[in-house]
Amino acid sequence: MRPLALIRSLTRRHMQLEFTSGPHRIRILDRPGLSLPASEQAALREAVSALAMKVEPRGSLDYGVFLDDPVIWGSIVLTLIYDRETGALIAFNALRWIELDTDVSEAPVLHLGLAMVDPDYQSHGVSWILYGLTVVLLFLRGGMRPLRITSVSQVPAIIGRVALSFADVYPDAKQDRPRFRHLSIARAIMRDHRDVFGVGDDAWFEEDGFVIRNAYTGGSDAMKKTYEEAAHHREAYVNDHCAQVLDYARGDDLLQVGQMDLPTARAYFLRDVPRESRRAVLMTAGFAILQTWIVPLLCWLDTARDWDGLQPYRSRRDV
């Protein structure tokens, strides 16, 4: 980053990062609806919609990042991957912050959302970026407090990746029963936030295995797959579990609840990040950590603007 861009980034309330890794340019935007002009939001929406139609040409997707909704764009986290040579968008991930009404999670929960890769770039090694990097950076920027995550999918490859990449995940094809924390978060999501992952009101939730029955009726209809079409995981027990508990003809999903913590972030860096990309990731992670210290200090020293209680805003002189 150039010095001026670095200073501006440090003073932003929400994370905005852009860096390169090998042949890719990576852009991460936390809550772009609160910082980007409407025209840029529209351009991003058009780009991700075009890529989605290339990946899932069977029908349009009518939920989440594809909607022109200021509430949604004020709560999503976009990870965008571009080909450095052509400038084309080749992959994206749309995460979503969820404010839950539950006693066990005061901080927002991060829903892992929808990830898509251009079929022409499936083997270009971007999965480590889409399925972990942004969560790790948000965890670091949040002061390294455990970050609760959720995921909804019927694809064994994704279900297995979530189970193996995050901590305290239920279901993970091995745990017999959920903890109270898992149940509380799952109940709150199914009660108040079905629209986040495109599940209609006619779907029902089975707490025994965290299975959402008849899940593809609320905007995500085109994502429904048969068991044969869904990408399988390298571990056979994950595939067997999905085949056993999910009815693919009807269209069922698994709801997974877990968290990102420090040991998990360390394991992600050592296990998933390619060696040639570790320098760029370390620099970006250091920048994310720096923001957690610099932003509060700058806000405290700046008495000319109101920073929502981060410092004593002197709008008038007390006497």
Side-chain angles (χ1 to χ4, degrees), residues 43-58:
L44 288 174
R45 187 163 51 252
E46 182 178 349
V48 298
S49 297
L51 180 55
M53 285 300 295
K54 186 175 182 180
V55 176
E56 295 290 348
R58 294 175 293 183

Side-chain angles (χ1 to χ4, degrees), residues 162-303:
V162 171
L164 296 174
S165 299
F166 295 93
D168 191 29
V169 175
Y170 183 86
D172 67 352
K174 290 184 177 181
Q175 288 194 58
D176 292 333
R177 63 189 62 181
R179 300 183 184 183
F180 176 72
R181 175 170 61 247
H182 299 127
L183 276 171
S184 181
I185 292 175
R187 288 167 178 168
I189 284 179
M190 291 305 300
R191 183 184 65 239
D192 302 324
H193 299 284
R194 293 174 177 229
D195 62 298
V196 169
F197 37 89
V199 170
D201 293 335
D202 50 351
W204 67 97
F205 182 60
E206 294 183 356
E207 292 186 356
D208 288 345
F210 275 34
V211 178
I212 306 173
R213 303 293 185 188
N214 193 33
Y216 292 85
T217 59
S220 62
D221 311 34
M223 297 293 294
K224 180 180 174 182
K225 295 177 174 60
T226 66
Y227 178 72
E228 291 72 24
E229 290 174 331
H232 288 193
H233 194 264
R234 65 180 182 273
E235 298 289 351
Y237 73 87
V238 176
N239 304 322
D240 295 341
H241 179 74
C242 293
Q244 180 180 359
V245 303
L246 300 179
D247 185 333
Y248 283 83
R250 175 175 52 207
D252 296 346
D253 272 340
L254 270 184
L255 168 60
Q256 293 175 285
V257 180
Q259 70 179 25
M260 172 62 69
D261 53 23
L262 191 56
T264 309
R266 177 180 179 275
Y268 164 80
F269 177 78
L270 295 176
R271 179 190 62 235
D272 294 340
V273 179
R275 288 184 178 274
E276 61 272 17
S277 299
R278 288 182 180 177
R279 181 173 178 271
V281 171
L282 277 174
M283 292 179 62
T284 307
F287 179 74
I289 295 173
L290 186 63
Q291 285 181 303
T292 67
W293 296 96
I294 295 297
V295 170
L297 177 61
L298 294 178
C299 292
W300 181 265
L301 295 175
D302 182 4
T303 60

